[in-house]
Every structure is written in structure tokens, then in C-alpha cells.
Amino acid sequence: MIFNIDFSNLTLSQILEYARIAIIIFDFILVIATIYFFLKALKMRPKFNADPNRAPVLTIRKEELLGKWSEIMNKFNDGRVDSLKMAVIQGDALIDSILKGAGLEGDHMADRLDSIEPGELASFEDLWRSHKIRNQIVHNEAFNLSKSIAETAVRGYEKFLKEMKVLD
């Protein structure tokens, strides 16, 4: 027998000492098992090989944004009130998707804009002005959108896109 211990004559402190030793051995076994399974999991991890012929994700996103911006500008250049409204609303949605993609949190675009310090973004005031125009279009049926007001909104969005290097 490895351990020749007479448990009948043990005091409480001796029992606790043996329990402590057993727990230390158990902890050691758990640490070894954790390391073993971690190393096994690393081997199972998928390998990601960069393909130099594939366009980077940011380039793809930029192309997508440029396509959407082109559609917005076509609506704006159409000049009809309905087209102007759609240009402003879609411009706002485009900017909001960029803000979400940047990790800004909030339920609405206004919440995301609130999380930006005015000094962090040169186009901040223009962006807020554009968003307020969009809100007037969406929430106020009596709002009369003129070409100049729509242009103010679109130019605010454009200024932001240039600052973010989406537009040249």
C-alpha cells in the first residue's frame, strides 16, 4: 500500500491537511488538462491564408459605398421633390451604416452622433444639420423640402464621406 494512514486516530486539523493536499493535486491535474485541451484546440483552428489577388475588405466596402453614393447623387440631380427626399433619406442611411460599422453604439443615428465629440470630426456640425433635415422630412409631413435645403443635407453627407476618405 502506498499510503499507510490510520484514519481512525486523525484530528480535524490532520484531516483538513490531507484534504488540502488532495485539492492541490486535483488543481494540478486540472491545469495540465486545460493546457492539453487548449493546445489541441489550437491545432483545430482554421488557417486563414491571405490571398494577394483578392481585394481587401475595405476596398470592397468602399466600392459598395461609392455605388450607393452614386445612386443618391442621381436622385439628387433628378431635382424632383420626391427624388430629393429619397436622396436625403438614403444619404442619412448610408452615413448611419458607416457609423454602425465604426462601432458607434446607439439605437438611432442621433445616439451614435451623440457619442462623437465635436472636435473628433471636422464634418460633425454638417452631419448633424443633415440628419436634422432628414428628420424633418420623415417626421413632419408639412415640411417643404427645397432644392437648396436638400443640397445642404447632401453636402453635409458628402463632407463626411470625404473626411472618411470614401470620396476623393
Side-chain angles (χ1 to χ4, degrees):
M1 192 145 91
I2 296 175
F3 297 105
N4 190 7
I5 302 170
D6 182 14
F7 289 105
S8 61
N9 295 330
L10 292 177
T11 64
L12 180 61
S13 64
Q14 289 173 325
I15 293 172
L16 292 175
E17 184 63 25
Y18 287 126
R20 187 178 74 80
I21 292 169
I23 290 172
I24 289 171
I25 293 170
F26 183 70
D27 284 346
F28 181 73
I29 292 169
L30 284 177
V31 168
I32 298 297
T34 301
I35 292 170
Y36 172 79
F37 286 114
F38 177 75
L39 293 174
K40 282 287 215 185
L42 279 179
K43 289 179 185 175
M44 296 170 50
R45 194 177 102 203
K47 304 286 188 262
F48 295 103
N49 297 322
D51 181 0
N53 299 322
R54 199 174 82 199
V57 174
L58 292 176
T59 303
I60 294 170
R61 178 78 171 134
K62 183 176 179 179
E63 293 302 318
E64 175 188 336
L65 295 172
L66 287 173
K68 288 181 179 180
W69 182 249
S70 178
E71 292 173 16
I72 290 165
M73 289 308 295
N74 287 339
K75 287 182 173 112
F76 173 75
N77 291 329
D78 178 83
R80 292 178 296 140
V81 175
D82 288 344
S83 295
L84 293 173
K85 287 180 179 181
M86 287 306 298
V88 172
I89 292 168
Q90 289 177 356
D92 198 78
L94 178 67
I95 301 305
D96 193 30
S97 74
I98 293 171
L99 296 177
K100 284 179 191 174
L104 296 176
E105 296 191 12
D107 293 332
H108 307 286
M109 182 167 169
D111 299 330
R112 285 180 271 287
L113 288 173
D114 277 338
S115 68
I116 300 172
E117 294 295 323
E120 290 179 301
L121 200 57
S123 58
F124 180 78
E125 294 299 327
D126 297 299
L127 206 51
W128 257 116
R129 189 175 305 111
S130 298
H131 182 63
K132 288 176 183 176
I133 293 169
R134 176 263 181 206
N135 282 347
Q136 286 291 321
I137 293 168
V138 172
H139 299 296
N140 183 356
E141 291 181 25
F143 181 70
N144 187 18
L145 180 66
S146 66
K147 176 103 176 172
S148 65
I149 293 173
E151 184 173 12
T152 299
V154 169
R155 295 299 166 229
Y157 299 138
E158 182 178 51
K159 186 174 179 182
F160 172 78
L161 291 172
K162 284 181 178 178
E163 186 175 353
M164 295 295 108
K165 308 270 190 261
V166 173
L167 296 177
D168 300 320

